[in-house]
Amino acid sequence: MARLFLGLDSSTQSLSAVVIDYDTHRVVYDKSLNFDKALPHYGTQNGTLRSDDPRVVHSPPLMWAEALDVLFAQMKQDGVPLGDILAISGSGQQHGSVYLNDRAAAALAKLNPNKTLVENLRGIFSRATAPIWMDSSTSAECAEIREKLGGIKATAQQTGSDTFERFTGPQIRKFSKTESENYARTSSIALVSSFMASLLAGKIAPIDHGDGAGMNLMDIHKKTWHPGALKATAPGLKTKLPPLADPSKVIGTVSPWFVKKYGLNPAAQALVWTGDNPCSAIGLGLIQEGKVAISLGTSYTYFGRMKHCRVDTRGEGSVFGAPTGDYLPLICFTNGSLAREKISDQYGLDWEGYNQMLLKTKPGNNGAIMLPWFEPEIVPRVSHPGIQRFNFDKKDMAAQDCRAVVEAQMMSMRLHSAWMKIKPTSIYATGGGSVNLPVLQIMADVFNCPVRRIEVAKSAALGAALRAVHGWLSHNGGKPKWQEVVSVFTDPIPNSEVKPVAKSVRIYNKLVEKYATIERRVLTVEPARCRRP
Ligand code: XUL
């Protein structure tokens, strides 16, 4: 019998599965299910439900549950030996919250195999939809919590981050203020990660230290719920939160529902899930300081590994818990692939066409600079979106726009990651956009650092599978070393290194100063709400 481990990634737009065979060191299965395409009856756009207020972005948690059911059915149909899976872990888009009523625990414990997951779960929610990380409607609540915790610096020092609109604490506060009755009916609040783990384990799952740090509710040093933050957020919150747990904790064996319906081994273990960024850190093998990752997904993120906790006292970046037990500093940009897609759509380009545009323009774009804030931006904080162009030539706008978006994204990452004090020695690129070499060349040149890719673009799902290995080995009496667990799977693709070009590095060293000046100038005239109180 093969020793298989399953990693799942519940992201904004899709649910992915990666199965690894730990003995042969191979990824034996890798598939994604796109929510919009596979489950159109939920009416999502890019996995999200939009309202008239562009700041409000939710998703239906039942859709995530249905996706899990459909993906298991697909794996069975594809002949994955589901009975050989020893442990399952997962990764979830961070910050999103699911609100469960007092029927949830019993329903999870008694899932009926003659019914679908959705049929089993209807009626367990105290809120039909889940606010997700793209929601930016909680500025007032951020200000209220921040003030009670003593300001930006004090909030970051206590919880790892200043309050952010997308973080779970401010979202819970808004819910408790605007829907107090539904808040009162809520018995348990889950993150996307812990909600999905609960389905697999058949019980309310703990929240892990990595994703828990993205709530503004956890003491980043003690890794326990922070009493002052809970009090500042909403009444009676302590009783509605599950316990916090180490990211390699085994919750228990998988729910009998998956055993009966899909033939899972009854002894297979369900592990705690964590956020997509902490999972990606493992999937990319970021277990030493100096290696950093840039994830080119719906959002773009820049993150690394930190032994000792340093927070961003200016309040732009965040510190989460890492699956290795230490810290993961991160900055997150809303206008990631969304910005690139806006430009592609405008000029009718696919990725290939976009790359051609990058290749026909020169590093530095002849001084043309764009602030690509199509959506409200997290880093730097911009609440009133709108793009701005500087020094553009009227000719061939399409090519200049394509280059300007990518250069702005890379320069912004360089500028806004300085607080981490981690000099990148190698950058690992991941996410859908990482297959595009012209983009990676700009990355290498802006950071003056080699960029590498790994075989599996789905680093979050791979990281989840590797966490399942680590958790399973530890639970069964082993003392696994992270280096051994991640090696082989996270080796970069041979000859995949993209090296910086000295001439371009010099161009970007100058352009980044110009970009910083423009950004500062524009932000000082931004309406007051986007600036710090
Ligand atoms: C990180 C963040 C995003 C989501 C995307 O803070 O908000 O990267 O995790 O899934």
Side-chain angles (χ1 to χ4, degrees):
M1 178 178 137
R3 294 200 296 171
L4 302 185
F5 294 87
L6 167 63
L8 294 157
D9 174 32
S10 182
S11 77
T12 317
Q13 309 202 36
S14 55
L15 179 70
S16 305
V18 164
V19 179
I20 57 174
D21 181 328
Y22 193 61
D23 298 312
T24 60
H25 288 119
R26 276 185 321 121
V27 171
V28 292
Y29 187 79
D30 174 355
K31 198 160 248 177
S32 286
L33 178 146
N34 178 282
F35 299 135
D36 296 359
K37 286 197 197 119
L39 306 170
H41 43 284
Y42 289 95
T44 55
Q45 280 171 15
N46 302 326
T48 65
L49 299 169
R50 298 303 182 116
S51 73
D52 294 341
D53 182 345
R55 296 170 309 163
V56 174
V57 187
H58 287 210
S59 290
L62 268 181
M63 175 180 79
W64 299 328
E66 185 165 347
L68 191 64
D69 205 343
V70 175
L71 192 59
F72 265 94
Q74 183 69 54
M75 286 194 273
K76 193 173 171 185
Q77 194 186 321
D78 290 342
V80 178
L82 293 171
D84 290 356
I85 292 173
L86 296 179
I88 305 173
S89 189
S91 136
Q93 52 166 311
Q94 295 199 248
H95 318 298
S97 41
V98 180
Y99 298 79
L100 303 167
N101 62 27
D102 59 3
R103 289 197 291 275
L108 286 167
K110 282 202 194 123
L111 295 175
N112 177 347
N114 299 318
K115 291 183 176 172
T116 64
L117 259 190
V118 167
E119 283 161 359
N120 272 292
L121 298 179
R122 262 189 231 293
I124 69 160
F125 300 97
S126 55
R127 190 183 199 182
T129 58
I132 64 156
W133 68 274
M134 293 173 75
D135 189 292
S136 59
S137 65
T138 60
S139 301
E141 290 74 19
C142 283
E144 288 158 4
I145 298 171
R146 178 189 298 128
E147 196 193 322
K148 293 217 185 93
L149 290 180
I152 295 172
K153 192 169 163 189
T155 307
Q157 281 167 339
Q158 292 168 80
T159 71
S161 313
D162 181 25
T163 49
F164 282 104
E165 281 74 359
R166 69 191 192 286
F167 274 40
T168 325
Q171 291 289 344
I172 294 173
R173 182 166 177 79
K174 180 180 164 198
F175 182 54
S176 78
K177 279 165 50 183
T178 55
E179 293 184 49
S180 56
E181 280 181 18
N182 289 338
Y183 175 73
R185 286 198 307 116
T186 303
S187 314
S188 184
I189 300 175
L191 293 180
V192 178
S193 57
S194 70
F195 173 65
M196 297 300 282
S198 304
L199 304 182
L200 278 160
K203 56 170 98 151
I204 307 264
I207 288 180
D208 93 296
H209 300 146
D211 224 7
M215 301 172 82
N216 285 133
L217 294 174
M218 189 184 95
D219 181 322
I220 191 71
H221 308 285
K222 295 190 190 145
K223 299 189 176 165
T224 51
W225 294 122
H226 186 295
L230 298 190
K231 191 156 172 254
T233 300
L237 183 52
K238 179 90 205 282
T239 60
K240 299 180 198 286
L241 292 172
L244 285 159
D246 194 270
S248 49
K249 185 182 162 61
V250 169
I251 309 169
T253 49
V254 287
S255 155
W257 188 86
F258 289 90
V259 176
K260 294 203 182 98
K261 192 147 183 204
Y262 294 116
L264 247 62
N265 183 338
Q269 287 164 347
L271 268 93
V272 161
W273 286 35
T274 187
D276 49 1
N277 295 297
C279 259
S280 273
I282 296 300
L284 291 165
L286 292 197
I287 52 174
Q288 287 136 18
E289 259 198 27
K291 277 187 177 179
V292 302
I294 295 183
S295 167
L296 306 178
T298 308
S299 65
Y300 282 2
T301 50
Y302 177 104
F303 54 94
R305 181 189 177 187
M306 211 185 235
K307 282 218 178 90
H308 304 289
C309 184
R310 285 187 291 277
V311 298
D312 181 6
T313 50
R314 287 191 330 167
E316 280 178 355
S318 308
V319 178
F320 302 135
T324 41
D326 39 25
Y327 298 96
L328 180 123
L330 171 139
I331 42 175
C332 174
F333 302 83
T334 325
N335 289 282
S337 67
L338 290 170
R340 206 238 338 129
E341 280 159 23
K342 286 265 162 55
I343 292 293
S344 311
D345 291 350
Q346 187 179 333
Y347 297 110
L349 299 168
D350 55 9
W351 252 127
E352 195 35 53
Y354 199 99
N355 286 340
Q356 288 308 321
M357 293 293 187
L358 294 179
L359 291 172
K360 80 181 222 198
T361 44
K362 286 206 230 90
N365 219 5
N366 287 327
I369 286 179
M370 183 196 285
L371 296 179
W373 300 328
F374 294 87
E375 299 264 352
E377 184 49 81
I378 300 167
V379 177
R381 220 173 265 223
V382 177
S383 50
H384 296 268
I387 64 159
Q388 302 201 31
R389 295 182 176 86
F390 303 85
N391 305 328
F392 268 65
D393 186 342
K394 292 253 155 40
K395 282 184 282 172
D396 207 356
M397 287 298 283
Q400 289 177 86
D401 271 352
C402 288
R403 179 166 279 277
V405 166
V406 180
E407 289 189 341
Q409 291 173 325
M410 297 307 147
M411 289 193 290
S412 183
M413 280 188 198
R414 174 169 150 180
L415 283 171
H416 295 279
S417 58
W419 64 272
M420 296 178 192
K421 297 197 171 66
I422 300 173
K423 168 99 191 78
T425 50
S426 54
I427 295 176
Y428 284 71
T430 179
S434 65
V435 293
N436 299 289
L437 289 181
V439 173
L440 303 194
Q441 186 63 59
I442 299 175
M443 192 184 276
D445 293 341
V446 169
F447 284 93
N448 189 14
C449 178
V451 174
R452 298 185 172 92
R453 285 190 297 130
I454 61 159
E455 195 90 51
V456 181
K458 292 171 189 145
S459 59
L462 174 63
L466 294 172
R467 286 184 41 250
V469 172
H470 191 271
W472 185 85
L473 291 171
S474 317
H475 190 74
N476 290 290
K479 286 204 168 58
K481 291 211 167 51
W482 274 109
Q483 183 59 50
E484 282 159 24
V485 172
V486 303
S487 64
V488 186
F489 287 102
T490 59
D491 284 348
I493 300 171
N495 308 320
S496 77
E497 190 174 274
V498 178
K499 293 199 178 75
V501 175
K503 193 173 158 210
S504 310
V505 170
R506 285 196 294 275
I507 293 174
Y508 288 123
N509 279 343
K510 284 201 186 124
L511 199 68
V512 86
E513 296 299 325
K514 228 164 138 187
Y515 183 86
T517 311
I518 289 179
E519 192 192 83
R520 252 193 321 268
R521 206 172 66 217
V522 170
L523 288 178
T524 42
V525 295
E526 250 258 323
R529 219 169 48 72
C530 85
R531 279 186 274 125
R532 292 324 171 97

